[in-house]
Structure formats: C-alpha cells, structure tokens
Amino acid sequence: MLATITGLFAEPWVMTLLKVAGVFAVVMPMVAYAVVAERRISAWIQDRIGPNRVGIPFTNIKLLGLGQPLADGLKALVKEDFTPAHVRKVYYWMAPAVAMVPSFVVLAVLPFGSMLGEQKMVIADLDIGILFTFGIVSLGVYGIVLAGYASNSKYPFLGGIRSTAQMISYEIAMGLAVVPVFMIAADPAWQKGLSESWSLYLDGAGLLNLSSVIAYQSDSLFGWLMFKQPVAFVIFLIAIFAETNRLPFDMPESETELVAGYNTEYSSMRFALFFMGEYAAMIAGSALMVVLFCGGWMLPLGDYFSTPAESFGQGLVHIGVFVAKIAVFLGLMIWIRWMLPRFRYDQLMNIGWKRFLPVSLANIIVTAIVLWVLNS
Amino acid sequence: MEGTVFNIFAGLAVLSALLVVANPFSRNPVTSALFLVTTMISISGLFVLLGAYFLAAVQILVYAGAVMVLFLFVIMLLDLREGARRKLNLVSFAMGFMAVGSLFLVYKSSVDQTYGDTTQHQEVAAGVNQVEGSTRALGQSLFSAEKGFILPFEIVSVLLLVAMVGVILLSRKEPL
C-alpha cells in the first residue's frame, strides 16, 4: 500500500497535478485578499475606515476585517442570478469563464520557486515560456469583448470595443519592451559560467525559458534586469496596467461614462467571476514582472536566497519570497489606482502608439548597439 | 498517446473549420469568427505535436490573439443583422465544404504517412526528414547570411510594408 503511494509520487503527472492544486490553493486566497487590500487601502487613501468588521463567523473576533472575502463570496453566490431578456444567452454565459481562464493559464509557465525536494517549482517548464505567456495574455481580451457583445446594449458594447483597441495596442508595446530583456539574458556565453547547482536547476533549459532569465539575474541586486533595462521595465509595468484594465487605463469599465462598462448587465456570481478574473490577471502580471525584471524567487542576501534550494525549508522560503514580491506589485497597482485620475481615450491611444512604441523600438536598437560594442 | 492527441486536435480543427463556414445552428458572424479561433488553437496544438513550439506560440499570439480580435472588432462595428437573417447560400456552402474537405485530406494523408505502414513512416521514425523546430534553429535558418532565407524574408517584409503604406494612403480622406 505504502509502496503504491510512493510509486504514485514518482509519476510526473501526479506531481504536475499536485503543483496545479498548490498554485490554485495559493492564488485563490491571494485573489480574495487582494480585493480586501484594495478596499482597505482605498479607504485609507480617502480617509475612510473601510471593511473592518467581518472576522470569524459566529464569534465576536474581528481580525481586522479579514473575514470579508467569505462574506463577499457568500453574497455573490446566494444573490439572484438574473439574466436580462435582451442578451445573447450562450455568449453571456460563456464570457465570465473566458475572462477568467487566461490569467490562470499564464501562471502555468512561471517559475514560482526554485526546488522543493526533487521537483522544480514550475508547472510547465516550457522552452518558449515567454512566447507562451504573451500568446495566452493576448487571449484575455475575448472575455471582455464577448461580454460587451453578449450584453446587447450600448454601454457594455462600447466597453468591449474600447478594450479590443486598448489591449491590442498595449500588447505590442509590452512585447517589444521584453525583446531587449532577452537580447541580454538569452546569451549562451554566461550560462557556461554558472555554478553546478544552477546548471542542475536549469537542466539544459532553453534561453527563452523563464527560469534562465531568473538564473541570469542571480549575481547581485544590480543583476536584476529592472536595473539593466529600466526603460523596458517602465514600459512593461505601464502596459500591464493597460492589459489588466486597471486605472488609470480602465477604459472598458470607466464607470463615470459607461455605467460599469462591459459588466453592466451582469449580476451575482457571474459578475464576481469578472472581478476575480481581473485580480487573477493582476497577480499573473505581477508574477511576470517579478520573473522578468526583479529576480524571481531570489533576494540579493547571499547564497541561501539566491541559489536553487537544497533543503525543503529553503525551497519554501524561496516560494515565500516570490509571493511577497508579487504582493509588493499588487500593493503598487492598488495604490496607483486610487491616486491617479483616468486618461481620456485619445490620450491612452496616443501614449500607446506615439510614445511607448517608438521608445521601445529605440530601446531595442540601443541595446543591440551596446551589446555589439561590448562583444566586439 | 501522441496519435490520440493528434486525432483530438485534428478532429477539432476540421470540425470547427466546418462550423465556421456552414454552421447549421447559427448564421451569426461572431459565432463563425469564434469557431475560427478554435481552429487556430487546434492547429497550434498540431504544431506542438510536431515539435515546432515557436510556430505554435506565434500561431496563438498572432492569429488567435491579434488577427481574430480585429476580425471581431470589425464584425461588431459593422451592422451585420442582414447577414444574420440570410439563408444558407448553396454556392458558399459548397465552397466552404471544399475548403474543409481539403483540410481534412491533408490531415488524413499526414496521419497515413506518420502512423501508416509506408516508407515515409519508416523514414520519419528513423528521423530522416527531421526538422529542428526550436526558436534558435528557426532564427538561424531565417537570418543567417550564408544558408538562410534572409533575402526572401526581407522581400516579404517589404511587401508587407507596401501593403501597410497602401492602406494608409487609401484610407486618407483628403489626397496627399
């Protein structure tokens, strides 16, 4: 019996399923508490109190309002699920699911830790990691477009149309911003100089693999690509805001003009799915930024934090560091949302096409020239 | 295992391609566009099975993620209610059926070649015509100056540039 169980753990698909379950078990509460953080931080910025009442159910323990997600989830589930008569039903039912899936699929290729025992902490160790990510991120627009189309009324439709143009424009800037990162990191010369534990960890991974980007940043704090490619980092960060439809770029939602944009006709759990999809996309975007620009699961505090884990505890610490870095970016996104006003639509398009696109193209050329001079 | 996955993706590609052009349940252009997205994604799955990971990712990124989104954009902006009420046109049905049928034949012959008991199958198994599908190999065969396809590549990109300039010129309201 025991032998069958240990034998089962040797199967690759069992480990993959366990990793998927583990990622879900961490990301779903993060989504829930990102919502609480959003409400508490907004209250703090606007000099209100915010939701601080709900604690453990049926007791008087309040725990700073940390029970709020339970109450929110219960409310969304038991509310009447109303389908307006004028909607296109199939698309109306499909849209919330389509909106939520891509953000979770992106998480599959992100290395969220070094090693845990024998296992490399990434669900799918793809050699085209970064291309896969962009491919899936580009599918994220369908949920919003379908919601706008399915609702069959004016405001959601305008929201859907806006999001199409916005997300395609910023995808281009985002993709071009990442090119210099891989021009620097995908250089076979440095991989030969890595220590034994690193080459064991990489295990012949290709240079477009996201774990090789992390390995490249392992030298010191200033090895982080955030410092080597500050222009790319800023463009990528802003493009992530636009891709996740967060203020100051929340044109598809834009509640002062479009009621609630693409999700106007939705209620109860379907609306909650859009909401969760937005926060899951924020988490996926932050995780991508952490991997590409901020050293992934590493901290520049000596070998314990910046070489692949040899013990179980060290592996857990690395995962903790990764989650903490994501939390920092989530905090930044929430903070910016409540500090800045929304752009006008033409301003948004102007920034995307007339500023970011030329700047990121120039960044590619300058990086190429610098690399050429340094290598010759 | 690989054969099963191939059959799933190939079947999905053919079935959803058929539903793009001849959907008996809906004449809605948005439905057709979304089935085309399914076709694109299934074809990308076939690329993965062939070991062409780069092509698979680009297939999703460019076709499913950008081209089809713009298709949807245009369909939604045009008022296509007339199209939704239009009856099934026999000629377009026949043309669509031919297109899907040829796609099906391509799949069938590739199944026969890969899994059938033919000389090609033995060659594939022996790795005779094996093509390297990695990003690096693709980049080298496209861009290396001696044995690469750099000249055709540049000609194609000039062609695209001409098309782009042409579109901008044609869509201008006042002449230059």
Side-chain angles (χ1 to χ4, degrees):
Chain A
M1 182 68 198
L2 196 69
T4 7
I5 291 175
T6 41
L8 210 58
F9 275 105
E11 296 270 346
W13 62 269
V14 175
M15 288 318 293
T16 309
L17 272 187
L18 279 180
K19 282 184 215 167
V20 171
V23 168
F24 255 103
V26 174
V27 171
M28 289 313 278
M30 271 180 89
V31 168
Y33 281 98
V35 179
V36 177
E38 175 104 59
R39 295 176 66 181
R40 289 305 295 267
I41 293 175
S42 69
W44 182 41
I45 289 173
Q46 297 170 343
D47 202 13
R48 294 181 284 115
I49 295 173
N52 67 345
R53 299 302 164 93
V54 188
I56 300 169
F58 308 114
T59 60
N60 255 339
I61 308 164
K62 283 182 183 165
L63 283 175
L64 302 163
L66 288 182
Q68 191 67 37
L70 280 177
D72 286 347
L74 191 69
K75 185 184 100 175
L77 275 175
V78 298
K79 255 181 144 176
E80 184 191 355
D81 184 23
F82 183 71
T83 307
H86 56 78
V87 300
R88 299 178 167 96
K89 292 224 169 44
V90 179
Y91 295 125
Y92 183 82
W93 293 331
M94 226 165 77
V98 176
M100 214 175 136
V101 168
S103 357
F104 282 98
V105 177
V106 167
L107 293 170
V109 289
L110 297 175
F112 52 87
S114 53
M115 309 282 272
L116 214 55
E118 299 275 288
Q119 289 293 324
K120 193 171 169 182
M121 282 295 103
V122 50
I123 295 171
D125 199 13
L126 288 188
D127 272 354
I128 46 150
I130 186 65
L131 287 167
F132 176 87
T133 333
F134 280 124
I136 301 297
V137 165
S138 70
L139 296 182
V141 65
Y142 281 109
I144 296 178
V145 171
L146 279 184
Y149 175 72
S151 297
N152 202 8
S153 64
K154 287 195 183 66
Y155 290 132
F157 187 73
L158 282 173
I161 291 287
R162 281 182 177 188
S163 91
T164 332
Q166 169 179 338
M167 287 173 96
I168 285 201
S169 314
Y170 279 81
E171 240 163 56
I172 294 169
M174 192 163 99
L176 288 177
V178 168
V179 172
V181 167
F182 283 89
M183 286 165 79
I184 296 180
D187 171 12
W190 65 267
Q191 234 186 24
K192 295 195 185 88
L194 283 172
S195 69
E196 199 180 323
S197 60
W198 271 112
S199 19
L200 207 66
Y201 170 72
L202 286 180
D203 194 22
L207 291 161
L208 283 184
N209 192 312
L210 290 170
S211 15
S212 354
V213 182
I214 293 184
Y216 178 80
Q217 303 176 67
S218 63
D219 305 339
S220 64
L221 177 64
F222 291 102
W224 288 10
L225 284 158
M226 175 182 171
F227 299 105
K228 291 196 173 169
Q229 276 295 336
V231 180
F233 175 65
V234 171
I235 292 177
F236 194 82
L237 177 69
I238 297 171
I240 287 281
F241 275 88
E243 287 288 312
T244 52
N245 298 312
R246 296 280 299 178
L247 252 154
F249 300 116
D250 68 338
M251 308 313 295
E253 208 170 323
S254 186
E255 65 271 8
T256 44
E257 304 158 29
L258 301 183
V259 189
Y262 63 94
N263 59 30
T264 306
E265 306 284 355
Y266 282 86
S267 59
S268 78
M269 201 58 207
R270 291 185 210 283
F271 169 74
L273 277 178
F274 278 120
F275 212 61
M276 282 154 72
E278 180 184 327
Y279 284 90
M282 278 165 71
I283 290 174
S286 312
L288 200 54
M289 269 188 288
V290 169
V291 168
L292 288 176
F293 293 100
C294 302
W297 40 264
M298 293 180 298
L299 278 182
L301 297 174
D303 277 354
Y304 187 79
F305 289 102
S306 58
T307 48
E310 275 145 19
S311 68
F312 210 73
Q314 197 184 358
L316 287 178
V317 168
H318 287 165
I319 295 176
V321 168
F322 190 75
V323 172
K325 282 184 181 176
I326 291 178
V328 170
F329 273 109
L330 286 180
L332 179 76
M333 287 175 125
I334 293 170
W335 177 40
I336 288 180
R337 170 170 181 181
W338 296 97
M339 297 298 282
L340 291 180
R342 181 179 300 125
F343 281 99
R344 253 186 7 239
Y345 195 68
D346 58 319
Q347 291 173 327
L348 173 101
M349 283 297 168
N350 272 342
I351 301 171
W353 288 102
K354 294 187 186 161
R355 302 281 187 280
F356 287 168
L357 188 62
V359 169
S360 44
L361 281 174
N363 194 22
I364 293 175
I365 293 168
V366 170
T367 312
I369 292 173
V370 169
L371 285 177
W372 179 56
V373 169
L374 284 181
N375 289 342
S376 61
Chain B
M1 174 68 188
E2 221 166 79
T4 325
V5 179
F6 175 87
N7 283 334
I8 292 173
F9 279 127
L12 258 179
V14 172
L15 184 71
S16 45
L18 184 68
L19 288 174
V20 174
V21 287
N23 190 338
F25 309 107
S26 151
R27 297 292 299 147
N28 187 339
V30 172
T31 314
S32 298
L34 286 174
F35 275 116
L36 195 49
V37 176
T38 327
T39 315
M40 301 294 180
I41 293 177
S42 320
I43 289 175
S44 140
L46 293 176
F47 278 134
V48 170
L49 284 179
L50 290 172
Y53 298 106
F54 181 81
L55 277 184
V58 168
Q59 172 86 12
I60 288 192
L61 183 62
V62 174
Y63 286 101
V67 173
M68 286 318 295
V69 175
L70 288 177
F71 270 34
L72 273 182
F73 188 81
V74 173
I75 291 173
M76 286 178 177
L77 279 182
L78 298 174
D79 191 14
L80 283 177
R81 260 179 228 140
E82 282 303 312
R85 253 188 265 121
R86 202 182 60 209
K87 287 282 181 299
L88 213 60
N89 182 338
L90 252 180
V91 177
S92 59
F93 186 84
M95 297 304 274
F97 206 81
M98 268 166 64
V100 173
S102 48
L103 189 62
F104 179 75
L105 285 181
V106 170
Y107 285 139
K108 189 166 177 314
S109 66
S110 61
V111 171
D112 288 347
Q113 283 188 17
T114 320
Y115 301 105
D117 193 24
T118 59
T119 39
Q120 283 112 321
H121 176 225
Q122 284 147 12
E123 276 178 10
V124 169
V128 174
N129 289 325
Q130 208 83 4
V131 185
E132 185 79 35
S134 75
T135 317
R136 195 183 178 80
L138 192 74
Q140 271 165 351
S141 63
L142 268 186
F143 294 115
S144 77
E146 305 94 45
K147 51 180 181 174
F149 295 96
I150 182 79
L151 187 66
F153 180 83
E154 291 296 337
I155 291 174
V156 167
S157 52
V158 169
L159 190 67
L160 281 175
L161 184 68
V162 169
M164 211 160 73
V165 172
V167 165
I168 293 171
L169 195 71
L170 287 177
S171 59
R172 274 177 72 96
K173 282 208 181 81
E174 71 273 20
L176 279 173

